[in-house]
C-alpha cells in the first residue's frame, strides 16, 4: 500500500446525537438541532468546541458550514467540504473526506454533521407538485415513478428475478433491524417489535416493498468528530480508527430513465475492492456492519457487492439468524438503523459503528475489532467506511 | 376496471407533471418525435452507439451532437413494479398502477420507463414483449407500453 491512504491517520473521537423525533415533531429548528449534536459530540470527545478547525457534511445539508463556524465561534476554519449527491450516499464519504483533510494536514479536528427537520422543510418521500418537468425526471415522473422507493423497487425486482430471490430475504433484513432496535432505548421503534406476520400483513408501498421494507422519516441531528493520530491517542474515548474509506460510482450509474448499464446493483462493484485493499482485510474479517437501509432490497445487494455472499447465495445468507446479534455470521444495523432507530441519513449508522469499536453498543458484538459502514446503496455516488480498534 | 378508469383517456389521472424538453435543447428531438407518434433516440453518427436519455456528446467515442435515430418501439419488459402508495397528490385515487422498465433490443438495449396499459392487477412477467403506445396530453405525448399478443 502506498503512503496515499487515510488508514490510521485519523480516528473518530467523539459522537453526539439529539433526541430522535418522528418526522415533523422536532420542537426546535433544524439549525439548533445541528448545533446541539455538535456540542454533544465535543462533550463526548472531551474537547472545547473551539478546537474544531474543519467541517464536512453531505446530502446538501442545509446548515451552512460558515454559519456553524460562526455560531461556534471557531477561531480558524481550515477545511469546509460538502460531498456531492443526495440521500445517504455521502455519509461515509464525509467521514472519509474529514480523514483525508486530517491526513493531508488541512485540519486537525473535523466535525461531520447531518441535521433534518422535515416539518420545517419538505419531505423526502413525496414528489413536489410541479406543473412541468424536464431533464432526466421527465422520463419517469409523469409515469408515477419519482421516489427512491420506486426506483429501488424496480432494481430489487430485477435482482430477485435474476437470482431466484424471494420475499424471505428482504423480510429478514427488516426483521433484523427491528430486532436490534428492541435493545436500544434511543430507537424510535424501541418497544415496538416486528413479527413476520406483521410484516406480511403490512400494506404494500410499492411491490416488492412492504411498509417495513422502507426507512422512516425523522427529525434530529447527529455529529461525529475526527482528530489526528496524535490527538486521538490520549482523548476521553477509545478511538475508532479509520481503517479505510472509499467513495465513488460505477460505469454510467447516473444514466437517467433506468439506463445504468449494470442495473440491479447497489453501485459498490468497483468501490468495495478498493476499500478492502486499503484496509488490508477480506470480507470474512468484518465483525459487524451497518448497511444503510433506504430500502431492504438495496441492503441485500450491498451485502453481495461487499463479498458477504454470492448473488446466487442470497437466500442462504440473508436470514434473520445470520444477520442478528449475538450469534449471527454478520450482525447488521445493530442499533436498529434507518428502519427502526432513526433516519438521520445514515450518520447514526456511523455512530453505531464507532460504538461497536468502543464496546458500548446496546447489541455489542463481543470483541468487535473491525466495524464497517455502507452508505447510500443504489444511489450515485456512494461511499464506505471501515473502523477498527 | 371501474367506469371512471375505463372512461379515462390517459393511464394516470390529470395533474401529473407534464414532460418538457430541457431548457438547453439537448432532448428536443425526442419530444417532437413523440408528438408525431414516433420513437426517436440518440445514435452516434460516428460509432453507432445508442444513448438515452440524450446528452451533448456520445459517451463511447465523445463525438459531439450524436444525432437521432427512429426506432421501432418494440421492446421487452426488463423490470416492473406495482405502486400502491401515492407519492404525488394527483395519484391519490389512482393506486395501484403498474410501472415497467422496457429494454429496446433494436436500440442497443437502451431502456425506457412507462406504464403497462391494462389491468393494474395483471400478472407481469419479465421478458414479455411490449410495444410503445403514444398517449396524447394537451401539451405533451407520453410513451406508454402494451403487451404484444404472441
Ligand atoms: Zn460515438
Amino acid at each position: 500500500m502506498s503512503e496515499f491512504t487515510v488508514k490510521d491517520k485519523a480516528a473518530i473521537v467523539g459522537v453526539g446525537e439529539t433526541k430522535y423525533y418522528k418526522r415533523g415533531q422536532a420542537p426546535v429548528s433544524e439549525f439548533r438541532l445541528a448545533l446541539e449534536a455538535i456540542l454533544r459530540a465535543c462533550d463526548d470527545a472531551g474537547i472545547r468546541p473551539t478546537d474544531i478547525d474543519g467541517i464536512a457534511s453531505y446530502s446538501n445539508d442545509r446548515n451552512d458550514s460558515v454559519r456553524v463556524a460562526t455560531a461556534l465561534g471557531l477561531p480558524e476554519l481550515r477545511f469546509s467540504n460538502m460531498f456531492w449527491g443526495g440521500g445517504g450516499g455521502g455519509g461515509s464519504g464525509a467521514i472519509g473526506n474529514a480523514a483525508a483533510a486530517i491526513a493531508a494536514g488541512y485540519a486537525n479536528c473535523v466535525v461531520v454533521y447531518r441535521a433534518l427537520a422535515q416539518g420545517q422543510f419538505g419531505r423526502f418521500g413525496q414528489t413536489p407538485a410541479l406543473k412541468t418537468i424536464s431533464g432526466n425526471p421527465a422520463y419517469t415522473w409523469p409515469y408515477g415513478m419519482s421516489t427512491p422507493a420506486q426506483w429501488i423497487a424496480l432494481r430489487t425486482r430485477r435482482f430477485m428475478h435474476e437470482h431466484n430471490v424471494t420475499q424471505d430475504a428482504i423480510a429478514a433484513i427488516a426483521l433484523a433491524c427491528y430486532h436490534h432496535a428492541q435493545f436500544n432505548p434511543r430507537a424510535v421503534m424501541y418497544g415496538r417489535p416486528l413479527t413476520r406476520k406483521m410484516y406480511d400483513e403490512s400494506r404494500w408501498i410499492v411491490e416488492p416493498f412492504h411498509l417495513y421494507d422502507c426507512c422512516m422519516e425523522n427529525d434530529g441531528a447527529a455529529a461525529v468528530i475526527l482528530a489526528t493520530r496524535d490527538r486521538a491517542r490520549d482523548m476521553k474515548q477509545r478511538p475508532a480508527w479509520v481503517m479505510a474509506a472509499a467513495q465513488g460510482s460505477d460505469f454510467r450509474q447516473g444514466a437517467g430513465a433506468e439506463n445504468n448499464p449494470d442495473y440491479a446493483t447497489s453501485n459498490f462493484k468497483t468501490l468495495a475492492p478498493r476499500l478492502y485493499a486499503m484496509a488490508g482485510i477480506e470480507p470474512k474479517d468484518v465483525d459487524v456492519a451497518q448497511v444503510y437501509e433506504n430500502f431492504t432490497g438495496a441492503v441485500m445487494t450491498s451485502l453481495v457487492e461487499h463479498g458477504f455472499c454470492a448473488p446466487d447465495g442470497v437466500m442462504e445468507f440473508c436470514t434473520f439468524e445470520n444477520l442478528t446479534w449475538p450469534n449471527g455470521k454478520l450482525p447488521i444495523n445493530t442499533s436498529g438503523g434507518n428502519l427502526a432507530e432513526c433516519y438521520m441519513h445514515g450518520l447514526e449508522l456511523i455512530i453505531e459503528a464507532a460504538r461497536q469499536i468502543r464496546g458500548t453498543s446496546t447489541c455489542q458484538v463481543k470483541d468487535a475489532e473491525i466495524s464497517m459502514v455502507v452508505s447510500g446503496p443504489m444511489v450515485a455516488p456512494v461511499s464506505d467506511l471501515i473502523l477498527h480498534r | 376496471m371501474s367506469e371512471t378508469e375505463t372512461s379515462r383517456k390517459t393511464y394516470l389521472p390529470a395533474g401529473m407533471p407534464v414532460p418538457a424538453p430541457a431548457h438547453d435543447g439537448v432532448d428536443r428531438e425526442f419530444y417532437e418525435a413523440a408528438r408525431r407518434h414516433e420513437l426517436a433516440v440518440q445514435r452516434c453518427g460516428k460509432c453507432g452507439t445508442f444513448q438515452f436519455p440524450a446528452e451533448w456528446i456520445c459517451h463511447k467515442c465523445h463525438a459531439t451532437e450524436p444525432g437521432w435515430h427512429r426506432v421501432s418501439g418494440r421492446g421487452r419488459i426488463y423490470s416492473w413494479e406495482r405502486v400502491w402508495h401515492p407519492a404525488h397528490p394527483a395519484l391519490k385515487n389512482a393506486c395501484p398502477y403498474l410501472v415497467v422498465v422496457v429494454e429496446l433490443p433494436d436500440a442497443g438495449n437502451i431502456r425506457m420507463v412507462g406504464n403497462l396499459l391494462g389491468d393494474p392487477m395483471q400478472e407481469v412477467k419479465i421478458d414479455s414483449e411490449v410495444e410503445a403506445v403514444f398517449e396524447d396530453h394537451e401539451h405533451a405525448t407520453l410513451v406508454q407500453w402494451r403487451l404484444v399478443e404472441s
Side-chain angles (χ1 to χ4, degrees):
Chain A
M1 180 57 65
S2 74
E3 61 180 300
F4 299 107
T5 172
V6 296
K7 188 180 183 184
D8 296 331
K9 303 267 173 71
I12 291 178
V13 296
V15 302
E17 294 166 290
T18 63
K19 178 176 157 50
Y20 290 143
Y21 304 92
K22 292 196 165 167
R23 174 185 53 81
Q25 295 190 355
V28 297
S29 81
E30 189 177 84
F31 191 71
R32 170 146 167 208
L33 291 169
L35 294 174
E36 211 172 296
I38 293 168
L39 292 173
R40 286 186 189 189
C42 292
D43 189 47
D44 178 67
I47 63 166
R48 291 182 306 256
T50 48
D51 290 340
I52 293 172
D53 61 1
I55 291 176
S57 190
Y58 60 102
S59 203
N60 310 310
D61 192 281
R62 286 176 285 251
N63 304 289
D64 180 75
S65 66
V66 172
R67 186 178 171 196
V68 168
T70 303
L72 293 174
L74 300 190
E76 190 180 19
L77 182 66
R78 297 170 55 172
F79 178 71
S80 163
N81 173 268
M82 172 61 70
F83 185 95
W84 288 61
S92 292
I95 302 286
N97 288 348
I102 289 169
Y106 280 146
N108 295 309
C109 184
V110 181
V111 64
V112 176
Y113 60 82
R114 184 82 184 101
L116 290 168
Q118 295 194 67
Q120 192 183 349
F121 300 98
R123 282 189 67 181
F124 290 109
Q126 288 286 322
T127 307
L130 303 171
K131 281 211 162 59
T132 62
I133 186 77
S134 59
N136 286 343
Y139 299 105
T140 60
W141 289 21
Y143 307 92
M145 207 294 271
S146 58
T147 66
Q150 292 162 354
W151 83 68
I152 291 177
L154 287 166
R155 298 173 192 197
T156 298
R157 170 69 69 199
R158 180 70 198 185
F159 184 91
M160 292 168 86
H161 170 79
E162 287 176 3
H163 302 287
N164 295 314
V165 173
T166 70
Q167 198 78 33
D168 291 350
I170 59 174
I173 290 165
L175 291 170
C177 295
Y178 268 79
H179 174 73
H180 293 142
Q182 304 317 308
F183 300 91
N184 175 6
R186 299 179 312 275
V188 173
M189 293 299 170
Y190 178 67
R192 295 180 64 184
L194 177 67
T195 63
R196 180 61 195 263
K197 185 162 182 284
M198 285 164 68
Y199 172 92
D200 285 334
E201 288 173 359
S202 69
R203 63 192 172 95
W204 290 115
I205 299 300
V206 46
E207 292 175 47
F209 295 150
H210 283 281
L211 175 66
Y212 293 109
D213 290 297
C214 307
C215 58
M216 303 186 285
E217 294 180 83
N218 296 111
D219 288 2
V224 168
I225 291 172
L226 291 97
T228 58
R229 184 158 50 193
D230 291 344
R231 287 193 187 191
R233 278 197 185 117
D234 42 41
M235 284 175 96
K236 203 166 140 191
Q237 311 286 351
R238 174 190 285 163
W241 295 102
V242 174
M243 192 182 201
Q247 54 178 268
S249 186
D250 298 341
F251 177 63
R252 281 177 61 76
Q253 282 297 315
E258 305 301 284
N259 277 277
N260 44 329
D262 182 5
Y263 185 66
T265 171
S266 272
N267 202 10
F268 289 99
K269 288 184 185 174
T270 56
L271 190 159
R274 275 189 279 127
L275 178 80
Y276 285 124
M278 184 184 286
I281 63 164
E282 293 175 33
K284 66 170 171 51
D285 301 320
V286 176
D287 294 311
V288 56
Q290 314 300 323
V291 186
Y292 191 101
E293 337 92 301
N294 33 22
F295 304 94
T296 52
V299 175
M300 168 180 68
T301 48
S302 295
L303 292 171
V304 170
E305 289 170 22
H306 288 84
F308 297 114
C309 66
D312 291 326
V314 162
M315 290 304 291
E316 203 181 318
F317 184 79
C318 280
T319 63
F320 180 77
E321 291 69 29
N322 278 346
L323 302 178
T324 46
W325 173 83
N327 297 319
K329 276 185 190 155
L330 183 72
I332 63 163
N333 306 356
T334 45
S335 63
N338 286 324
L339 292 190
E341 183 189 32
C342 173
Y343 181 71
M344 200 40 57
H345 267 170
L347 199 52
E348 86 288 352
L349 295 172
I350 289 164
I351 290 176
E352 174 64 9
R355 273 192 208 104
Q356 288 286 357
I357 294 301
R358 290 181 179 185
T360 58
S361 169
T362 48
C363 291
Q364 181 61 43
V365 171
K366 196 168 171 288
D367 303 324
E369 294 274 345
I370 296 178
S371 177
M372 179 189 268
V373 185
V374 173
S375 299
M378 287 194 188
V379 300
V382 295
S383 57
D384 276 346
L385 174 70
I386 299 178
L387 301 174
H388 73 148
R389 276 206 200 187
Chain B
M1 274 195 189
S2 72
E3 213 172 84
T4 49
E5 277 170 323
T6 47
S7 61
R8 203 195 284 153
K9 285 196 182 74
T10 58
Y11 184 80
L12 294 176
M16 296 299 287
V18 177
H23 295 297
D24 66 359
V26 68
D27 57 1
R28 190 177 295 121
E29 296 279 343
F30 174 83
Y31 289 98
E32 288 174 1
R35 223 48 187 149
R36 301 189 302 265
H37 291 198
E38 291 171 13
L39 201 55
V41 298
Q42 274 184 327
R43 187 181 192 186
C44 178
K46 205 170 153 197
C47 78
T49 298
F50 284 94
Q51 184 162 275
F52 181 77
E55 190 47 276
W56 288 110
I57 61 173
C58 165
H59 70 266
K60 183 86 177 170
C61 76
H62 306 141
T64 51
E65 314 218 2
W68 290 82
H69 182 78
R70 195 178 156 186
V71 295
S72 71
R74 292 288 288 244
R76 58 183 175 234
I77 295 175
Y78 187 76
S79 193
W80 67 279
E81 67 189 3
R82 198 173 351 256
V83 181
W84 292 84
H85 177 76
H88 188 279
L91 296 171
K92 209 175 160 206
N93 298 309
C95 291
Y97 59 90
L98 286 171
V99 173
V100 284
V101 178
V102 173
E103 198 174 56
L104 305 181
D106 70 347
N109 289 333
I110 59 157
R111 304 183 197 120
M112 292 189 182
V113 172
N115 300 117
L116 182 65
L117 303 184
D119 182 0
M121 291 307 293
Q122 68 186 287
E123 189 191 348
V124 185
K125 286 201 178 105
I126 286 177
D127 291 334
S128 298
E129 288 199 34
V130 290
E131 64 185 1
V133 176
F134 295 91
E135 186 185 274
D136 287 319
H137 294 238
E138 193 185 349
H139 298 291
T141 297
L142 299 191
V143 181
Q144 303 286 26
W145 301 91
R146 76 171 156 230
L147 288 172
V148 176
E149 302 298 332
S150 52

